[in-house]
Amino acid sequence: MDNQALGLRQLPQELKLILALLQERNHDVYQNPRLLTTINWDLFIELCVHHRLYPLLYPEIKKQKGNVFPPSVVETLFHYYQQNTFNMLHLCGETAFINKLFTENNIRLLFLKGPHLARELYGDYSLRTSNDLDFLIQGQDLEKAEKLLEKHGYEKEDYIRTVLNDWKWRHHHVTYYHPEKGTKLEVHWRLHPGPGKEPDFNDLWARRKTGTFTETPVCALGKEDLFVFLALHGARHGWSRLRWLCDIHQLTGQALDPALLKKLLKASGSVHIGEQALRLSAILLDTAIPEWKEPFRFKKRSEKLADQAFYYFENMVNLHTDPVPEEVSEYHKHYLFSLMSYPQKAVFLLSFLYPYPEDAETMPLPKPLHFLYFPLRPFLWAWRKTRKQAVT
């Protein structure tokens, strides 16, 4: 593959050094004294933190002989590594608690991200960061789950504005926080925000993988479902944190079923996103995928999507802290639309005809009359647009 064609030469030297450290067969790159003399070590650390890669990089840097890396850099990365280890041990305990609580109350749950993912992909809890626990339950269990969590000290952080129950398909999770434990949970009823096709929970459950690192079995997505979830999640965020691409790299090295994987990607209309993930992983992390050459051929669309992702690497984009710069916001909006398949684009555009909470705020109506927001929506939207232009 032609790395230059995807703009790899435009990446900062500090990010190239990070990539060299992560690649399993190119360690000679970061031992090049000429490269090291050009490194801005403050920026190097900032990138390590931004991409959440310090758990992987500290053990690698520690192995190096001589004074290859400044002592201050090693010490700083060790601090982050140590703090992450403590945090992941704390989340391990909370995973066991939540798993037992929900299981005893007959709520099936599939863990998406957290300590189990670190162990599954990297073999060690300390080698991946996680700020919260993400898990999927059935929509019908949401009310029951909320009562359970509130009973045990969790407080809901996300209060979703909704009209005509649009929250069920426009949103995909709600956040809870425990003020004493300092633990955050993301309770999903969908894997991704809508509108879009979602796999049936029972199908995911049938393909689940069960772990045994707590006193009760912990269930998670099967490997192929996990790949689809991680690829869509990473792509939706522009792969702005390379940690997500490292997850793809690690998962690709496991025994996946290419036929099942392609079937799942096709069912979700995201074969091109799976190809984008693999292409980026191959270019940036030197991921070997010979057995997938037939199902994944790196078509032109996935090449273009991979190229678009370099914007996030080159500009160290952070989509998680508001306000997001207007230029980044505009780029990301168009990028997200380019990720959609043609049927998804059609559904997305049609979804604008479905009433939004802003419509109810613009013209409050009694709940029995909320159906009137459907014919009123174009006029309410035009009214808000006119008012906004008048203010500016």
Side-chain angles (χ1 to χ4, degrees), residues 141-366:
D141 290 327
L142 277 172
E143 185 176 349
K144 186 177 180 182
E146 180 174 340
K147 290 179 180 178
L148 271 177
L149 291 173
E150 289 180 347
K151 180 180 177 181
H152 288 84
Y154 273 95
E155 301 172 357
K156 185 189 286 188
E157 283 197 330
D158 292 344
Y159 287 91
I160 299 171
R161 295 183 304 154
T162 183
V163 63
L164 294 166
N165 290 323
D166 67 333
W167 65 271
K168 292 182 178 179
W169 56 272
R170 278 201 167 115
H171 300 273
H172 67 303
H173 69 73
V174 63
T175 303
Y176 292 87
Y177 181 75
H178 199 292
E180 295 179 8
K181 295 181 179 180
T183 309
K184 187 166 70 172
L185 308 177
E186 282 193 0
V187 184
H188 292 241
W189 62 91
R190 294 171 55 93
L191 291 174
H192 309 284
K197 190 175 181 181
E198 285 274 310
D200 183 77
F201 183 90
N202 290 323
D203 292 336
L204 294 172
W205 185 260
R207 294 190 295 265
R208 72 190 183 279
K209 183 173 182 179
T210 304
T212 55
F213 79 98
T214 62
E215 58 187 60
T216 56
V218 171
C219 298
L221 295 175
K223 290 182 179 180
E224 291 77 19
D225 286 307
L226 179 60
F227 182 96
V228 177
F229 169 71
L230 292 176
L232 289 172
H233 179 271
R236 190 170 74 249
H237 292 86
W239 302 103
S240 52
R241 286 180 179 159
L242 284 170
R243 175 189 62 184
W244 298 319
L245 209 56
C246 287
D247 292 343
I248 295 294
H249 172 78
Q250 293 297 123
L251 186 54
T252 301
Q254 300 187 10
L256 299 177
D257 181 342
L260 175 58
L261 181 54
K262 186 175 182 181
K263 178 182 177 181
L264 295 176
L265 286 168
K266 188 174 181 180
S268 62
S270 53
V271 173
H272 57 291
I273 294 178
E275 291 176 346
Q276 179 207 35
L278 290 172
R279 182 168 178 82
L280 284 171
S281 186
I283 290 172
L284 296 175
L285 301 175
D286 202 23
T287 304
I289 48 173
E291 70 275 19
W292 291 357
K293 283 183 179 178
E294 181 60 28
F296 300 100
R297 298 179 179 177
F298 301 136
K299 298 174 183 176
K300 287 185 177 180
R301 186 177 182 189
S302 62
E303 291 178 3
K304 183 178 180 180
L305 290 175
D307 187 35
Q308 290 174 331
F310 270 78
Y311 173 85
Y312 300 88
F313 307 142
E314 293 166 358
N315 296 282
M316 200 165 65
V317 170
N318 183 0
L319 298 171
H320 295 80
T321 303
D322 291 326
V324 176
E326 186 175 350
E327 176 192 340
V328 174
S329 181
E330 280 298 308
Y331 184 92
H332 190 59
K333 182 172 67 174
H334 289 95
Y335 165 78
L336 288 177
F337 191 71
S338 69
L339 285 178
M340 298 179 190
S341 64
Y342 293 117
Q344 288 169 344
K345 287 178 179 178
V347 173
F348 174 74
L349 293 173
L350 286 172
S351 72
F352 284 107
L353 300 177
Y354 198 97
Y356 277 75
E358 290 87 346
D359 298 323
E361 293 170 1
T362 303
M363 180 182 286
L365 292 173

Side-chain angles (χ1 to χ4, degrees), residues 51-97:
H51 290 290
R52 305 297 192 264
L53 292 175
Y54 45 87
L56 290 173
L57 293 173
Y58 171 70
E60 184 61 39
I61 288 174
K62 188 181 177 182
K63 288 190 294 186
Q64 304 313 310
K65 298 178 181 179
N67 298 320
V68 177
F69 295 90
S72 60
V73 172
V74 179
E75 184 179 345
T76 301
L77 290 181
F78 171 70
H79 170 75
Y80 282 112
Y81 175 85
Q82 187 179 53
Q83 289 298 113
N84 180 64
T85 301
F86 292 149
N87 180 58
M88 292 301 279
L89 288 173
H90 170 68
L91 288 177
C92 280
E94 198 62 13
T95 298
F97 171 75

